[in-house]
Amino acid sequence: MTYKPFDMAEYVQLTNAAHRALYLLECEIITSVSFVNSDLTTCLQAQAGPVKLPVYGCEAPKQVIQKAVLWLKEQCTPEQEI
């Protein structure tokens, strides 16, 4: 799959959260270590470019990314095609 390179100038010009979510869905979503639980379990946070998404998980990176995609789709209004 080919992803759109994240462009902050383009991102900040988007007028609402739904448009930003659609833009981020075109970018590669990755995970980064967010924190370590008291039982030393590493928890990940999803991000697209430098934008950290409010999606966390202590499971495999692929699962956290899938949750992030679902969250971004939920941020889009029903009228918009995903």
Side-chain angles (χ1 to χ4, degrees):
M1 179 170 202
T2 303
Y3 297 103
K4 178 179 194 166
F6 183 86
D7 180 356
M8 183 60 82
E10 184 178 351
Y11 179 75
V12 298
Q13 290 181 356
L14 298 171
T15 57
N16 61 46
H19 289 134
R20 288 183 176 176
L22 284 170
Y23 179 82
L24 293 176
L25 282 168
E26 296 177 356
C27 299
E28 182 176 19
I29 298 171
I30 62 170
T31 59
S32 58
V33 174
S34 178
F35 60 91
V36 178
N37 283 337
S38 58
D39 65 354
L40 301 180
T41 302
T42 301
C43 290
L44 304 173
Q45 181 176 11
Q47 67 183 77
V51 179
K52 293 194 180 269
L53 305 173
V55 179
Y56 300 86
C58 297
E59 57 266 11
K62 183 176 180 178
Q63 291 172 309
V64 177
I65 291 169
Q66 289 172 340
K67 287 183 355 184
V69 169
L70 288 174
W71 182 83
L72 285 168
K73 287 181 178 182
E74 290 172 358
Q75 305 312 301
C76 302
T77 58
E79 304 84 54
Q80 293 172 314
E81 187 86 16
I82 298 176

